[in-house]
Amino acid sequence: MNLSLHEYRDNFCKDVALDVLKRAYGYSQNGHLPSNAVSTSSVFYAEPKKYRPLLQHGLWAEKKLNAVTIWDLWTETATAQRALLEGVWDFKNRTMCIARLGENYDCKHQTTLDFPNELIIGVYEHRHRFAAVVSIESNHESAFEVRKVQEIADIVAKNAVAYYPKYLHEKEYIAWACKHPHGRQIPPPLPEFSKYLLEQPLRFVKDVNPEYDLSRATKHVVTIEAFIVFRSPAMQKLTIASVDMFGDFEHL
């Protein structure tokens, strides 16, 4: 192989640790294919690091057909968690992730949600920290209708991540107020989160509820439920079948 070390890095080892690059380059100089050289070098590099403590936790939502799998992404440092947000990663390839991060890493199965074929699934994940999985019932028939419902499901999932901390805070306050009434009026119990979510002002849709309008009581506010009805006039009423939340919202 006539490539210099820098050329070899740019072509085959751009994102890996320097030790992996040097070892792989040596293997290729002895006639090994670069792909095999990088793979073997990564194994040697990763093995001793696999026993170091994993202290930082993230998550990854993987959607496939009618199922969503939540994976836990473990690293040694918060810096590595930030690195996982950039570029393209094969999260299930532990060896290569360690070779790129330069520290221990593991991807572990948390749970898998399976859904009937008639449900449309929306998923939103925020920076590998929080995720929402929303399923919507509808009598969709055409491909156009399916795309419309999918768009709605994804928007609802994004709103779910935004509003879940507020929901938990209100729930916590009601529980506290019930234990310490001190003459104050006790707020009514909160509905389940999926119903609570429908009553909230819609966010993250262009030209709907601009942020400066949400604080003005005199302005018309479009709720998530109203948005769903407006976006699906040609279809029968859509129903949120489930909302599943993942992440450490309690310590947000």
Side-chain angles (χ1 to χ4, degrees):
M1 176 171 287
N2 297 322
L3 296 177
S4 68
L5 181 64
H6 292 294
E7 292 171 328
Y8 186 87
R9 178 201 62 192
D10 292 341
N11 283 276
F12 306 111
C13 281
K14 193 170 184 179
D15 297 324
V16 299
L18 182 59
D19 288 350
V20 177
L21 167 63
K22 289 180 177 179
R23 187 188 290 267
Y25 183 69
Y27 289 154
S28 293
Q29 291 289 86
N30 291 327
H32 293 277
L33 291 174
S35 59
N36 293 336
V38 174
S39 178
T40 301
S41 180
S42 297
V43 169
F44 278 102
Y45 179 80
E47 187 57 31
K49 289 181 170 52
K50 289 181 178 180
Y51 304 98
R52 285 157 47 166
L54 294 164
L55 304 175
Q56 299 292 322
H57 174 249
L59 57 81
W60 167 47
E62 180 186 30
K63 181 181 176 181
K64 287 187 176 180
L65 296 177
N66 295 100
V68 177
T69 299
I70 304 298
W71 299 90
D72 292 317
L73 305 180
W74 288 96
T75 61
E76 293 182 50
T77 66
T79 300
Q81 289 288 333
R82 290 192 291 272
L84 292 175
L85 295 170
E86 301 176 0
V88 178
W89 294 82
D90 180 358
F91 292 118
K92 296 178 185 178
N93 189 333
R94 185 182 184 188
T95 296
M96 282 308 301
C97 285
I98 292 176
R100 289 178 65 180
L101 291 171
E103 63 176 62
N104 195 10
Y105 158 92
D106 204 359
C107 177
K108 298 182 179 181
H109 178 264
Q110 183 183 138
T111 189
T112 296
L113 305 175
D114 294 301
F115 299 94
N117 292 333
E118 62 269 18
L119 296 182
I120 301 295
I121 313 304
V123 178
Y124 178 72
E125 175 195 303
H126 181 70
R127 299 185 64 81
H128 295 331
R129 293 186 63 198
F130 311 105
V133 181
V134 173
S135 66
I136 291 183
E137 297 177 5
S138 75
N139 294 327
H140 51 276
E141 295 180 358
S142 70
F144 172 77
E145 290 175 341
V146 171
R147 287 196 299 272
K148 292 289 287 184
V149 179
Q150 182 65 69
E151 176 187 291
I152 292 169
D154 289 337
I155 291 171
V156 173
K158 190 171 185 177
N159 275 267
V161 171
Y163 280 114
Y164 197 56
K166 178 173 178 272
Y167 176 78
L168 292 179
H169 177 75
E170 291 183 20
K171 194 173 183 179
E172 182 181 17
Y173 172 75
I174 291 172
W176 176 86
C178 289
K179 292 181 180 178
H180 308 85
H182 301 305
R184 66 170 57 86
Q185 184 177 357
I186 305 300
L190 287 178
E192 62 182 20
F193 180 60
S194 59
K195 186 174 186 303
Y196 172 91
L197 184 61
L198 289 173
E199 300 168 351
Q200 305 308 308
L202 179 72
R203 298 178 64 183
F204 312 118
V205 175
K206 186 178 180 181
D207 298 327
V208 180
N209 293 338
E211 188 173 342
Y212 63 84
D213 280 347
L214 292 180
S215 62
R216 299 184 182 183
T218 57
K219 294 288 186 178
H220 175 67
V221 174
V222 178
T223 65
I224 294 172
E225 183 173 31
F227 168 77
I228 292 174
V229 173
F230 175 76
R231 280 293 178 96
S232 56
M235 296 176 278
Q236 294 188 15
K237 181 175 173 62
L238 305 180
T239 303
I240 295 181
S242 64
V243 179
D244 293 280
M245 307 301 298
F246 300 92
D248 190 11
F249 286 95
E250 288 79 2
H251 296 94
L252 180 62

